[in-house]
Amino acid sequence: MSENIIKQTKDDKKFLIMAHRGFWGGNVIQNTRQAAITAKKAGADIIEVDVCRSADGVYYLFHKLVVRMLLDVDKEFEEMTSEEIDSLVLLNSNGQKSGYRVEKLEDFLDWLPMNYIVNIDRTSDYWDDEAFLTY
């Protein structure tokens, strides 16, 4: 694949398909590498993920509006420390513990295959954070 994966992918197709929060359902949780893998297998060209920051400044793949649905916690994501977040198990689409935990942005980016195009969303609140800009 060429150096510019977005241009190459666009040149090969009439339009690109983006999977919002990956492709999720059942025990595949949104905003996880499993959702990204499933989206890619389903034919998505771009995987969109959301980012939230913990109270102590750690970035995670997570959409802050689904804390209750996916974590069954009555707190805002940004109010929890990374230790608290790391101790929680994500709930699946049936509201049962999935066995998966909220994934750190750093771990996701370290794993990310070169042939994946990712749109990182919900980040404008963090653009003044030099730690975020190092990603």
Side-chain angles (χ1 to χ4, degrees):
M1 184 143 302
S2 75
E3 284 185 31
N4 190 335
I5 186 172
I6 296 172
K7 182 180 181 331
Q8 181 65 45
T9 303
K10 177 66 175 101
D11 288 349
D12 292 345
K13 300 179 177 191
K14 291 185 182 206
F15 61 89
L16 302 181
I17 297 171
M18 181 183 289
H20 186 245
R21 300 182 197 168
F23 194 95
W24 47 281
N27 211 47
V28 177
I29 313 303
Q30 58 183 274
N31 284 312
T32 62
R33 80 178 64 180
Q34 291 79 19
I37 291 167
T38 305
K40 193 73 168 165
K41 286 181 180 179
D45 302 299
I46 304 168
I47 292 89
E48 180 266 353
V49 295
D50 301 301
V51 173
C52 283
R53 181 174 57 196
S54 66
D56 53 344
V58 177
Y59 290 95
Y60 289 88
L61 297 187
F62 201 81
H63 193 295
K64 63 182 173 182
L65 298 180
V66 295
V67 172
R68 183 84 166 108
M69 180 179 84
L70 291 180
L71 296 174
D72 195 26
V73 174
D74 286 323
K75 275 180 138 176
E76 297 295 324
F77 193 92
E78 295 88 353
E79 295 174 351
M80 294 185 281
T81 65
S82 57
E83 184 176 344
E84 288 175 281
I85 294 165
D86 292 345
S87 73
L88 299 170
V89 177
L90 289 159
L91 303 180
N92 64 22
S93 62
N94 292 324
Q96 299 171 334
K97 291 186 177 187
S98 68
Y100 295 105
R101 300 189 186 275
V102 182
E103 188 160 8
K104 290 182 172 99
L105 175 61
E106 182 175 17
D107 293 340
F108 179 77
L109 294 176
D110 286 345
W111 161 83
L112 189 64
M114 291 298 294
N115 65 331
Y116 280 45
I117 302 170
V118 175
N119 173 58
I120 300 177
D121 200 11
R122 301 276 176 180
T123 62
S124 59
D125 290 344
Y126 314 128
W127 292 352
D128 62 344
D129 181 359
E130 286 188 37
F132 177 74
L133 298 177
T134 62
Y135 289 107

